[in-house]
Amino acid sequence: MRRWALLASLLLGGLTACAQGFPFPGGHSANSGGGGSLAVDSQMPSSVGVSSSTSPLTYSFTNTAGTLLLVTVVTGDPAGSVTSVTYNGVAMALVAHQISNDGVTGADSSVFRLLSPATGANNVVVTYTGSSKVLSGAISFTGNNMTTPIAQSV
């Protein structure tokens, strides 16, 4: 259980770091564009990550006024995959995906985004295959670039 708490903390800390220009897998980061000011709108506490062994994983996230929602999903089964993520019933786009496998243990991590998500408390639904636990967390931002919300680092 301690491993999942650490993953939750890293997952949400990593999403916050994206707002500060640090890249997530694939060299992508949240993009304010044009000198705007990217700021965290709503986030899950760093000590909280939602996990499940049964698909779909469903949890509530409250978006106060964010215009960019990021959801990260981490699974301990690199043979499994995330088949869809929705927020308030709206499909989210895959931004980054990374598989790590050292031959003994492995992890599959993905980041999904949604522009102009509904405000208020709504469900995040993560559908996946595989037999391992899945961990997920969400964060929303304001001040993002609406044309290119996720920048590719060079």
Side-chain angles (χ1 to χ4, degrees):
M1 193 60 161
R2 183 189 303 224
R3 176 179 157 199
W4 285 102
L6 175 62
L7 280 173
S9 178
L10 291 171
L11 176 138
L12 295 171
L15 287 177
T16 303
C18 289
Q20 299 164 350
F22 295 101
F24 43 80
H28 300 81
S29 60
N31 182 19
S32 64
S37 179
L38 190 65
V40 173
D41 170 61
S42 304
Q43 67 182 356
M44 299 171 67
S46 62
S47 61
V48 175
V50 183
S51 68
S52 174
S53 299
T54 308
S55 181
L57 164 63
T58 302
Y59 61 94
S60 181
F61 178 75
T62 302
N63 176 37
T64 306
T67 54
L68 171 64
L69 175 65
L70 294 179
V71 171
T72 297
V73 182
V74 178
T75 176
D77 183 0
S81 66
V82 177
T83 55
S84 70
V85 177
T86 63
Y87 178 73
N88 193 36
V90 179
M92 298 183 70
L94 178 66
V95 173
H97 181 244
Q98 181 75 41
I99 296 175
S100 302
N101 192 345
D102 62 9
V104 178
T105 60
D108 182 291
S109 59
S110 302
V111 179
F112 293 82
R113 73 155 172 91
L114 180 62
L115 286 173
S116 303
T119 56
N122 295 288
N123 282 338
V124 173
V125 180
V126 178
T127 306
Y128 59 94
T129 63
S131 58
S132 178
K133 272 195 168 186
V134 168
L135 177 68
S136 182
I139 189 168
S140 60
F141 299 96
T142 59
N144 59 284
N145 182 314
M146 292 302 284
T147 305
T148 311
I150 305 298
Q152 172 71 44
S153 298
V154 203

